[in-house]
Amino acid sequence: MTIQELKQQALEVRKSLLSMIYQAKAGHTGGALSSTDVITALYFEVMNIDPSNPKWEGRDYFILSKGHSVEGYLSALAKRGFFDESLLSTFCQYKSPLIGHPNNKIPGIEMNTGALGHGLSISVGMAIGLKKDKKTNRVFTLMGDGELAEGSVWEAAMAASHYKLDNLVAIIDRNHLQISGSTEDVMGLEPLRQRWESFGWEVKEIDGNSMTEVVNTLKAAPFKENKPSLIIAHTTKGKGVKEMEDIPSWHHGVPNQNLYEQAMLDFESMEKELQNV
């Protein structure tokens, strides 16, 4: 896809995830919106995947470590063809397989996640296994910056460097906010880049809501032979809905009817702008 097409696709994902949350009256809105561009780039341009054969042995693997932001992930999977898009309307309803976190009974989802801090450990294990089998598949994992307070993240970071996992790419959705406020107030992370570099990772920092930067950086991985790659993707929590942007309370929240309808009108305007570029 071209960058313009990917921007359009990301807009469709944002529209879809907001509709899911509005209909379900539940969801993690801000973090799903902030990470949409990364997930869109991975699923529509970067990863080697086959929606008609989700368990294809040659596939790249993706783990959503920040599992609570599942709405954009599910929307991308459906729009990519892993399952029928009509299923999205059942999100968080009784007996629906689409629950509030990733569920590996859904085609395309490799692992259930939800307890924060575990995604990188899972991804390290996958990457080690692929190395042992002499396979060239890659493993991508998307983490939230709030979950970096978990000790298991840093154990996994140390192991990834020790085992020279250049088939592993970790992305941090660095929107600077978590459920209880600013990450720097809750548990300071800076200097974040230097911390990961000290653990033996090759690090790049980007604008995580710039589709051009996201695609180009993901395609450049691995950044250095025998080293795991980390992308610090600086994003805006609630990206795309101006009433939600950079507001901690939208970590988890449901728009009322007026806000939902206004957001959909704004998305339509964005769509027209993209079409006229």
Side-chain angles (χ1 to χ4, degrees), residues 45 235 263:
E45 184 63 22
T235 64

Side-chain angles (χ1 to χ4, degrees), residues 176-277:
H176 298 264
L177 294 173
Q178 57 192 99
I179 191 168
S180 46
S182 162
T183 57
E184 298 314 292
D185 291 336
V186 177
M187 181 62 69
L189 301 175
E190 297 297 342
L192 189 57
R193 177 176 190 145
Q194 290 90 330
R195 289 186 179 187
W196 282 89
E197 288 174 339
S198 74
F199 273 73
W201 289 62
E202 194 69 16
V203 181
K204 291 187 181 294
E205 293 192 63
I206 64 169
D207 177 348
N209 294 133
S210 164
M211 189 60 73
T212 300
E213 287 191 41
V214 170
V215 170
N216 290 344
T217 306
L218 285 168
K219 284 187 172 182
F223 305 142
K224 192 168 184 178
E225 188 176 2
N226 294 325
K227 293 184 74 172
S229 301
L230 178 79
I231 300 170
I232 301 175
H234 293 278
T235 64
T236 298
K237 197 148 192 168
K239 179 68 175 179
V241 182
K242 61 178 181 284
E243 293 84 358
M244 299 180 183
E245 290 185 351
D246 280 329
I247 299 175
S249 60
W250 280 106
H251 177 89
H252 184 285
V254 179
N256 60 28
Q257 183 177 349
N258 289 340
L259 178 52
Y260 173 72
E261 291 176 352
Q262 184 58 56
M264 287 299 161
L265 289 173
D266 291 343
F267 286 142
E268 288 181 15
S269 298
M270 294 176 205
E271 187 173 19
K272 290 177 182 176
E273 289 177 11
L274 282 173
Q275 291 170 348
N276 292 329
V277 171

